[in-house]
Amino acid sequence: MIEVALLHEGGWPQADWDLLAQRAVAAAIAHSPYAHFAHDRTFYEIAVKLTSDEEVHNLNRAYRDKDKPTNVLSFPMVQDDLLQATANTDDGEVLLGDIVLAEGVCVAEAADKGVPVADHATHLIVHGTFHLLGYDHMDDNEAEAMEALEIAALASLGLSDPYGDRQLGD
C-alpha cells in the first residue's frame, strides 16, 4: 500500500494538497515497474513537503552544492538496486523517501507555463516520485525514458504533457 505523508507550510495557494499529493504519487507508481507497491501488504511511504523557497535553497546548497532554490528536490531512502526487495522488510513499512517543493519557484513556473499551480505541483510530485524509484535524467536517454513515464502518469490524471517547452529544472 502507498502512504503519502504531506507536510504543508503556509503560503501555498488554496487546494486539496493531501489529495493532490496522494493522486500524483499513486499515478507515478502505477506507471512504473513498481505498480505492485499499491497492492502489497507492505506500506510504502513517501513524505511530500510543500515549503518555502528559503528552505529549498538551504537544502539545495547543503545537499547539491547549488546556492539557489529549485522547484523540487527528492531524497531517496532506498537504493535503486534494493527497491525490488523492499517487500521483505521486517516491520512491513518502507520509507521510499522525501519530496520537497518550493512554493515561490513553483508558483512562478506555473505562471510562466500558464498552468494552475496545482497542476504544476502535481507534475513536480510525479517527477520527484520517479526519482525516488531510481529514475534520473542525467543523460538524454534517461531523460526521455523518465519524461515518457511522467507524461503517461500525468495523462492518467487528465493533465497535459508538461514537456512541450522541454524545460524542467531539477
Side-chain angles (χ1 to χ4, degrees):
M1 295 186 184
I2 308 299
E3 182 113 357
V4 177
L6 180 75
L7 304 161
H8 178 206
E9 294 184 359
W12 283 79
Q14 198 71 328
D16 187 344
W17 293 108
D18 285 307
L19 179 61
L20 183 147
Q22 183 66 46
R23 291 183 69 223
V25 167
I29 290 173
H31 287 85
S32 78
Y34 305 103
H36 65 277
F37 284 4
H39 308 290
D40 284 354
R41 291 179 190 246
T42 301
F43 281 94
Y44 297 92
E45 184 175 340
I46 292 177
V48 176
K49 185 170 189 180
L50 306 176
T51 191
S52 67
D53 288 6
E54 180 182 0
E55 182 173 352
V56 173
H57 184 162
N58 291 336
L59 290 168
N60 206 22
R61 183 176 46 236
Y63 291 98
R64 297 178 69 221
D65 286 327
K66 296 189 179 197
D67 195 15
K68 63 180 183 175
T70 188
N71 53 12
V72 60
L73 292 172
S74 300
F75 298 96
M77 302 292 183
V78 179
Q79 294 176 314
D80 302 350
D81 59 341
L82 298 178
L83 279 169
Q84 289 293 342
T86 55
N88 297 327
T89 178
D90 290 338
D91 63 3
E93 295 181 13
V94 176
L95 179 58
L96 292 175
D98 301 332
I99 301 168
V100 184
L101 276 67
E103 183 262 335
V105 175
C106 186
V107 168
E109 287 178 349
D112 287 347
K113 293 174 178 284
V115 299
V117 173
D119 290 359
H120 188 53
T122 298
H123 173 225
L124 296 176
I125 294 168
V126 165
H127 183 85
T129 301
F130 279 114
H131 277 306
L132 298 184
L133 297 175
Y135 289 88
D136 214 332
H137 43 81
M138 298 304 288
D139 66 42
D140 289 344
N141 290 336
E142 287 179 347
E144 286 178 26
M146 187 172 170
E147 288 171 9
L149 291 170
E150 289 177 47
I151 292 165
L154 292 168
S156 76
L157 297 171
L159 299 176
S160 61
D161 177 355
Y163 291 108
D165 63 0
R166 294 293 175 222
Q167 294 177 349
L168 179 71
D170 193 54

